[in-house]
Amino acid sequence: MDVIVLDAHPVEDVRIARHINYLSDNGVNVCRIHYNYTDESAKPGIFSQNSVKGFRVNRLSLQGKARTLSFMGYCLGHKILAECRRALDALDIDPGRPSVLHVHDPLLLPLAAMLVKTSLQNSRVVYDRHEVYEEWLHFGRISIPVFYENRAKRWISGTAVVSEHHLETVRKLFPGSRVIAVPNYAASTAYDPEVIDAKIRQVEPGTQIHAVYIGSLNNLADRDVDLLLEIADAAIRSYDNVTIFVGGTSLDSDSKMRLDDLAGKHNGRFRFLGYVPWEKTVELTEKAHIGFLLVRPDAKYWVKTSPNKIFEYLACGTVPIVRADIDHAEELKDCSLIFDRTDEDGVIIAAVLDLLGDPEHLQQYMRTARELSSDYTWESVACRYIELYTALLHPAGTYQP
């Protein structure tokens, strides 16, 4: 069995890497065809990721929204099919072998359908649906991802969603598809338990406290950068042992100016890092005592989610500070500060300051987060991928790699 991963995510996307590494570690012949329209530094052609071969197609000729619109059109044409065939040849994929086309981006679903119709007739399409796209509207009334889904839905044999709460709806959207949930849990092997446990043991009055957020910083979308910076400013002014680390991309101009102003104001205790590689993100999260995930209360896209970030915080014994609609909120309440869209900013800021001012309470939350993380491991759910592939390609028996 071959698994061909098709995606247009950032080069170091965590879910893509976890998925590919899990399959490879379990004896599946997996490769990645990556359509890159965001990273200027990534080279096209054959590449290797954790000893897994891949092929990258760059679409970087335009800038800004023009590049995105161009890529959207490219995904509907025949040029993408021709370039994908060249990638398959370069990766030595036998078109006659049973295979899975595992699609991580809705824009690439038409490509998968074209491949099954013309080149890989023994293949099945599995669609990894990361978002609630039917609620993600563009131009006021339509969902562009759903448009691409509708173009290819009859070719989708299996669908993976990130939350158990999405199963029923997605079964209705793709009635001919087997639907499974593979939540965005953290891979426990990615983190250093000695570093994390030492951090928790050492919390006491006067301990240097680190807070972290690495992710989207677009205040014009759904992230509440304004609140993040208000919390950071208040925490640094209130406590001389707190340092805040913020990194990420997708900056709007106003947020960039405010980040730079805060960094200048607090003389090294507020650090804006810009783009942060995955390895550095892991290091920062392992050493952090609290971590943020804040969604704007007025965001139109307020839906139930299974964020990577929350489960990474748990694995690192880092207390999640959350304003969002997340899975397992009831279970997480004993080790997190979780707020709804109706909670006032002042209430959230005060709660964070209270936690930072109570080392004993903070340490207990960190211990509880670390203990709870064992209930939400990537290894416990990733096996569902292979079970799905086996059901689609080998329905009469069990697949042996």
Side-chain angles (χ1 to χ4, degrees), residues 6 52 78 85 106 121 124 134 188 204 220 232-233 245 300 305 310 325 335 337 343 353-354 370 380 388 391:
L6 302 175
V52 174
H78 290 284
R85 285 171 171 165
Q121 285 90 347
R124 299 291 182 270
E134 62 272 26
S188 58
E204 59 184 28
L220 302 177
D233 188 41
F245 297 84
K300 295 180 180 178
T305 57
I310 296 300
D325 186 7
C335 65
L337 299 182
D343 290 305
L353 295 181
D354 286 347
R370 180 80 171 123
S380 69
L388 176 62

Side-chain angles (χ1 to χ4, degrees), residues 43-278:
K43 296 181 180 180
I46 292 284
F47 68 95
S48 179
Q49 180 183 23
N50 298 104
S51 302
V52 174
K53 284 201 305 182
F55 191 97
R56 181 169 294 118
V57 178
N58 281 351
R59 306 293 298 176
L60 301 167
S61 57
L62 300 172
Q63 296 295 325
K65 291 183 179 179
R67 179 184 290 178
T68 302
L69 291 171
S70 173
F71 183 72
M72 289 167 57
Y74 166 74
C75 289
L76 293 172
H78 290 284
K79 186 174 182 180
I80 190 173
L81 176 61
E83 292 187 335
C84 189
R85 285 171 171 165
R86 286 197 289 273
L88 292 170
D89 288 342
L91 295 169
D92 296 322
I93 298 298
D94 180 354
R97 276 172 56 87
S99 63
V100 169
L101 293 168
H102 193 114
V103 181
H104 276 279
D105 294 86
L107 272 65
L108 297 177
L109 286 170
L111 168 63
M114 287 188 283
L115 286 168
V116 173
K117 286 187 283 186
T118 64
S119 306
L120 304 173
Q121 285 90 347
N122 291 327
S123 296
R124 299 291 182 270
V125 176
V126 170
Y127 173 35
D128 223 315
R129 198 176 200 253
H130 301 188
E131 306 283 352
V132 182
Y133 290 122
E134 62 272 26
E135 301 293 333
W136 189 353
L137 302 182
H138 302 79
F139 310 114
R141 63 182 65 183
I142 66 169
S143 170
I144 290 174
V146 169
F147 168 79
Y148 286 82
E149 290 177 347
N150 287 336
R151 291 287 296 261
K153 70 164 51 180
R154 67 182 289 254
W155 299 96
I156 298 172
S157 299
T159 306
V161 296
V162 295
S163 170
E164 303 282 349
H165 292 91
H166 301 171
L167 286 170
E168 184 176 350
T169 297
V170 171
R171 287 190 181 107
K172 294 176 181 177
L173 292 173
F174 305 102
S177 172
R178 290 176 178 260
V179 183
I180 61 168
V182 184
N184 275 321
Y185 298 160
S188 58
T189 56
Y191 305 96
D192 187 335
E194 292 186 5
V195 170
I196 297 165
D197 293 340
K199 171 189 69 176
I200 296 172
R201 286 196 306 271
Q202 292 164 7
V203 174
E204 59 184 28
T207 297
Q208 289 299 310
I209 300 298
H210 289 182
V212 67
Y213 172 74
I214 311 294
S216 171
L217 291 165
N218 191 340
N219 207 45
L220 302 177
D222 66 336
R223 301 300 168 155
D224 201 335
V225 182
D226 289 343
L227 177 58
L228 174 67
L229 299 187
E230 287 184 38
I231 293 173
D233 188 41
I236 292 170
R237 285 188 291 103
S238 299
Y239 302 104
D240 59 11
N241 62 330
V242 173
T243 301
I244 314 288
F245 297 84
V246 173
T249 55
S250 303
L251 283 139
D252 60 277
S253 57
D254 182 61
S255 293
K256 177 63 166 66
M257 182 175 66
R258 292 192 62 200
L259 286 159
D260 290 341
D261 287 347
L262 205 57
K265 174 181 176 181
H266 288 301
N267 192 30
R269 293 182 56 210
F270 180 88
R271 302 184 191 179
F272 174 52
L273 308 174
Y275 168 74
V276 182
W278 166 240

